Amino acid sequence: MADNKGKGCSFTQITKYVLKRENFDAFEALLPKDELIAKMSEVLTPFIDYNGKKSYHDAGIVYAMYKKVAKQKHLIAIAIIKRVAGEPEKKKGLEALFANSTDTYELTEKFILPDFTEDEEFFDEMVLSHLEDIVGSGQAKEAYFEDTRIYVKEGVKGISQTLYNIIIFIGMACLWGTVFDSIGLGMCFGLCFSTCFNLTTARAKTGKDQISQDAAAAEQTGEEA
């Protein structure tokens, strides 16, 4: 029998633009619409880092899934993920510039419409897959989704990966510095191109393990399980 998991579903993220235009009336039975919008708005504000400074990151991610029913798309699931600031590693210079993030991502709430619970497993798989990409690319140290923890496997990323990133930067900076005959422009273009290159090619291997619900709750509140 054919596997119909995820049939008609499309996975995406809710942005500030979508938040202003989407109709969340169907979720009223799960949470008042104003409260739901407020919770999503909170993680779509600028992220405050460990040092109390605003960053260019959002304070989290809002994942969403739509499903086409009778040729119409319906929003059926939402997962709100917050970003938690981690203490930066004590590195300097280029090593600090290319260091992996020490922040974590944690699920705060998940909503799925009662009529579409058969699609919940597919939604969870898509969220976990996206979080694996985030952790693997160094944008977060770990991610927690319900009873699952995602982490970078030991010995895959570290000093060797940082040095690799620095070498790519130096190579790009020299290349573009020669092209423009300018050290300053070379460094600017080198940083842009090396960052993009590293994000698309330098993905670490990630692992997943199961944690108890009590432990997951403790991770989110900062208490011991």
Side-chain angles (χ1 to χ4, degrees):
M1 185 173 66
D3 184 2
N4 291 322
K5 182 188 293 186
K7 184 177 181 180
C9 294
S10 57
F11 181 78
T12 186
Q13 291 179 221
I14 289 181
T15 62
K16 295 176 184 176
Y17 177 85
V18 175
L19 189 62
K20 293 178 180 178
R21 290 158 176 77
E22 183 58 74
N23 184 335
F24 299 99
D25 289 346
F27 290 84
E28 278 281 359
L30 303 176
L31 187 73
K33 186 169 71 172
D34 291 344
E35 290 185 31
L36 176 60
I37 292 174
K39 287 177 181 291
M40 291 187 287
S41 298
E42 185 177 355
V43 299
L44 295 178
T45 58
F47 176 64
I48 305 300
D49 65 19
Y50 182 83
N51 297 313
K53 297 179 181 179
K54 284 185 178 181
S55 73
Y56 61 88
H57 299 292
D58 282 341
I61 307 170
V62 181
Y63 292 115
M65 190 164 72
Y66 290 82
K67 185 167 187 176
K68 186 173 288 187
V69 180
K71 298 184 179 180
Q72 289 189 334
K73 286 178 66 176
H74 298 271
L75 178 62
I76 65 168
I78 295 171
I80 302 174
I81 313 287
K82 68 176 180 179
R83 185 173 184 136
V84 180
E87 183 176 0
E89 296 178 358
K90 294 180 180 179
K91 296 181 178 180
K92 297 181 180 180
L94 289 177
E95 194 176 8
L97 182 63
F98 291 104
N100 296 330
S101 173
T102 58
D103 300 337
T104 61
Y105 278 100
E106 299 176 2
L107 173 71
T108 58
E109 290 187 79
K110 185 181 78 173
F111 306 94
I112 185 158
L113 297 183
D115 292 341
F116 299 95
T117 53
E118 71 275 7
D119 297 304
E120 184 174 5
E121 183 181 352
F122 178 73
F123 180 60
D124 290 351
E125 289 176 359
M126 295 301 293
V127 173
L128 285 169
S129 176
H130 195 271
L131 290 175
E132 283 188 87
D133 288 338
I134 290 175
V135 173
S137 63
Q139 298 177 60
K141 182 180 179 180
E142 293 179 331
Y144 295 86
F145 183 75
E146 296 185 328
D147 61 349
T148 301
R149 178 177 74 102
I150 300 169
Y151 60 94
V152 174
K153 289 186 176 179
E154 293 294 332
V156 179
K157 265 195 172 182
I159 294 176
S160 61
Q161 183 62 52
T162 301
L163 289 177
Y164 171 79
N165 294 341
I166 292 173
I167 291 170
I168 294 296
F169 165 70
I170 292 173
M172 290 288 185
C174 291
L175 171 64
W176 290 105
T178 302
V179 171
F180 292 107
D181 194 23
S182 168
I183 295 175
L185 284 175
M187 293 185 69
C188 290
F189 274 78
L191 179 61
C192 292
F193 278 88
S194 63
T195 300
C196 292
F197 181 83
N198 291 331
L199 284 175
T200 55
T201 63
R203 188 186 187 283
K205 291 183 179 179
T206 57
K208 290 189 292 186
D209 56 23
Q210 302 299 114
I211 56 177
S212 67
Q213 292 294 338
D214 290 341
E219 288 287 348
Q220 294 183 11
T221 59
E223 300 172 354
E224 293 184 359

